Amino acid sequence: MSPASEATAGEALAAAREAGIHRIAVPTPFAVGRVNAYLIEDDPLTLVDSGPNSGRSLDELEQGLRALGREIEELGLIVISHQHMDHLGLVSILASRSGAEVAAIDVAVPFIENYAEAAAADDDFASQIMVRHGIPADVMHALRSVSQAFRAWGAAATVTRPLADGERLELRDRSLEVHFRPGHSPTDTVFFDADRRQLLAADHLLKDISSNPLISRPAGGEDRAQSLAVYLESLRRTREMEVDLVLPGHGEPITDHRALIDSRLELHRRRADKLRRLIAERPRTAHELAQALWGDIAVTQAFLTLSEVLGHTDLLLNDGLVRELEHDGVVHFEAVA
Ligand SMILES: [Zn+2]
């Protein structure tokens, strides 16, 4: 990071602190590194996201709160931004120690309250998608084991305060608008302080990494949601908002959300175009397309790269530029002449 952007990040965090919002970066075992929880000094004392379910994460979160003169027992409200385990794993422990209310968007409640079953159903769903799109069975089984090994980093929690899209979460000193912004996951929610033009965005918008619109089991219904198409629509809606400061779920604050969103939209346009050209050469499965783009893919990355490719083939299908050819349960994408 350059000194200039460090200064900007420092200033941005100072602006957040001035508004009573303090970042606590909690360790995770995942490639993404630390996850940002945010303490909001208000009434009720509010924590947005928690970190994963581990002793070390709990310890560091607790130390972070103490450094701010606070104890877990003082929390009055815990807000969950989305269903991923690095954001919700500690919620149940924090809520039982503090008696805090737990708030999350209504569509996330079944997942959060039945975490183990929901995560297992996600794995079943992912396995079907992987086989259908050309990932070899041994890779699929290896990924299932990895996923099961990581499952305990999440945990179920009881949501006492389900939120509706568009409602306001009223604290003593601020009003947070609740906006549903699915795409990175099926339950992403951002919280907007319109008076201060500050947006708690979790993983909907990250500064240094393009939020992976993971293929995931839809909240209702059978069909796979078009994660990237949904995500791009969510980004366009956020682009319209009057925001000075975005506080993301990982990494540093964002002060130029429109430029960042424009660069993400452009990245996805270029990638869809590249995939269209690869498909025009000859029909390929999504897994073959991922290999053509990124070479030999580490087993643990196979589902991420598959998600990325399927996001773009969805866009090409929607535009009528490619079609699916299904043979023996495996899909090849073919150019439409
Ligand atoms: Zn996430």
Side-chain angles (χ1 to χ4, degrees):
M1 195 185 287
S2 70
S5 67
E6 258 171 49
T8 313
E11 282 165 24
L13 285 172
R17 277 197 299 276
E18 200 143 307
I21 305 182
H22 305 270
R23 180 178 70 175
I24 304 174
V26 179
T28 81
F30 308 112
V32 69
R34 288 176 181 257
V35 59
N36 294 330
Y38 291 96
L39 181 73
I40 307 181
E41 280 287 351
D42 206 320
D43 188 13
L45 185 67
T46 299
L47 187 72
V48 179
D49 287 340
S50 72
N53 179 25
S54 88
R56 177 158 174 240
S57 301
L58 179 61
D59 189 43
E60 289 211 22
L61 178 66
E62 195 156 27
Q63 285 174 33
L65 289 169
R66 285 204 179 124
L68 296 165
R70 291 299 195 169
E71 297 288 341
I72 287 170
E73 287 69 19
E74 294 176 83
L75 293 173
L77 174 66
I78 301 166
V79 178
I80 301 174
S81 67
H82 68 297
Q83 69 195 53
H84 287 160
M85 56 182 105
D86 47 338
H87 297 261
L88 61 69
L90 284 175
V91 169
S92 172
I93 290 174
L94 299 175
S96 85
R97 281 180 56 180
S98 61
E101 295 263 10
V102 175
I105 193 92
D106 45 17
V107 294
V109 174
F111 188 101
I112 294 168
E113 297 201 332
N114 306 285
Y115 169 77
E117 298 82 353
D122 278 359
D123 282 353
D124 288 341
F125 183 80
S127 297
Q128 285 170 30
I129 295 283
M130 286 190 266
V131 169
R132 182 172 165 77
H133 290 287
I135 290 194
D138 58 333
V139 173
M140 183 270 282
H141 288 296
L143 271 169
R144 274 196 87 118
S145 311
V146 171
S147 179
Q148 274 161 22
F150 275 114
R151 194 168 299 157
W153 294 87
T158 303
V159 177
T160 59
R161 178 92 157 77
L163 303 170
D165 183 21
E167 84 165 88
R168 284 164 192 275
L169 201 49
E170 301 289 352
L171 311 183
R172 185 194 57 215
D173 299 335
R174 79 201 69 217
S175 171
L176 296 173
E177 294 173 15
V178 176
H179 295 284
F180 184 46
R181 290 285 192 271
H184 162 72
S185 84
T187 55
D188 299 284
T189 314
V190 301
F191 301 90
F192 184 45
D193 181 339
D195 295 332
R196 296 181 180 83
R197 297 163 64 107
Q198 294 177 347
L199 183 71
L200 289 149
D203 295 0
H204 169 59
L205 188 62
L206 301 174
K207 186 172 188 148
D208 296 321
I209 40 175
S210 162
S211 299
N212 235 306
L214 289 170
I215 296 301
S216 54
R217 195 170 49 92
E222 290 290 294
D223 280 346
R224 173 171 73 75
Q226 293 197 340
S227 303
L228 181 59
V230 168
Y231 179 60
L232 295 179
E233 178 53 31
S234 287
L235 276 184
R236 288 187 190 103
R237 292 172 69 194
T238 298
R239 192 186 184 287
E240 297 311 308
M241 298 171 84
E242 298 295 333
V243 181
D244 291 335
L245 177 62
V246 177
L247 297 168
H250 304 273
E252 299 302 329
I254 296 153
T255 50
D256 54 350
H257 75 297
R258 291 206 174 110
L260 183 61
I261 289 171
D262 286 345
S263 75
R264 295 284 189 263
L265 295 174
E266 176 56 26
L267 168 88
H268 290 302
R269 252 192 305 274
R270 281 200 312 268
R271 193 160 283 167
D273 212 52
K274 196 162 182 185
L275 282 166
R276 188 180 55 76
R277 291 197 303 271
L278 286 169
I279 293 166
E281 289 173 10
R282 60 181 163 86
R284 300 186 216 228
T285 67
H287 184 57
E288 287 166 347
L289 289 166
Q291 287 175 314
L293 278 182
W294 292 294
D296 267 338
I297 300 153
V299 167
T300 50
Q301 297 300 306
F303 188 64
L304 293 176
T305 54
L306 183 72
S307 287
E308 184 72 32
V309 168
L310 287 176
H312 291 92
T313 52
D314 285 343
L315 302 181
L316 298 170
L317 284 165
N318 294 350
D319 288 345
L321 296 168
V322 305
R323 63 173 158 246
E324 292 187 340
L325 291 174
E326 189 172 336
H327 185 67
D328 287 342
V330 176
V331 170
H332 286 72
F333 293 96
E334 178 189 60
V336 173

